Amino acid sequence: IAAVPEPERLGYYAEALVGVQVDPDKIDGVAGSLVALKEASWVSVSTGSIDIFAWVILPSSEELGEFLKSKVGTISGVRRTETFVSLSVRKRHYGLAN
C-alpha cells in the first residue's frame, strides 16, 4: 500500500525526464549525486546513448531550468543532458503490474 501524491495539488507544475550522458568511469558517482537530489523522484542507469535517466518534479519551468544549470550541470562527469518536459501525466502508478 502506498500513497501516490498528485504533484499539481502540492504546487509542483513542472515534471521532466532528464537523460544524462556521463563519462564512463563516473556513472556510479553521477547516479549517486542524482539520487541525492530532492527534486529527483526516480533515477535509473540504462544502456544506449543515455547513461542515466532521472524523473524530476519542480514547482515551475523556471525552477526546472535553474535546477538543470545549477545542480545537474555542475555534477562532475556529466557530459550532456537532454530534457523531455512532460505536457501531461496520463498514468501515475507505483508497484508491480498485475
Side-chain angles (χ1 to χ4, degrees), residues 8 13-16 55 84-92:
E8 305 83 27
Y13 298 98
E15 295 187 61
W55 186 260
F84 305 88
V85 175
S86 173
L87 299 177
S88 69
V89 175
R90 303 295 175 101
K91 180 177 182 178
R92 198 179 296 279

Side-chain angles (χ1 to χ4, degrees), residues 13-45:
Y13 298 98
E15 295 187 61
L17 182 63
V18 181
V20 186
Q21 289 181 338
V22 181
D23 293 332
D25 61 332
K26 295 196 167 95
I27 290 174
D28 289 336
V30 172
S33 294
L34 292 170
V35 165
L37 297 174
K38 66 180 175 71
E39 296 87 352
S41 62
W42 174 84
V43 175
S44 179
V45 176

Side-chain angles (χ1 to χ4, degrees), residues 2 10-11 27 31 38 40 47 50 59 61-62 64 68 72 77-78 93 97:
L10 300 172
I27 290 174
K38 66 180 175 71
T47 62
I50 301 293
S61 57
E62 292 82 12
L64 172 60
L68 293 169
V72 178
V78 170
H93 172 80

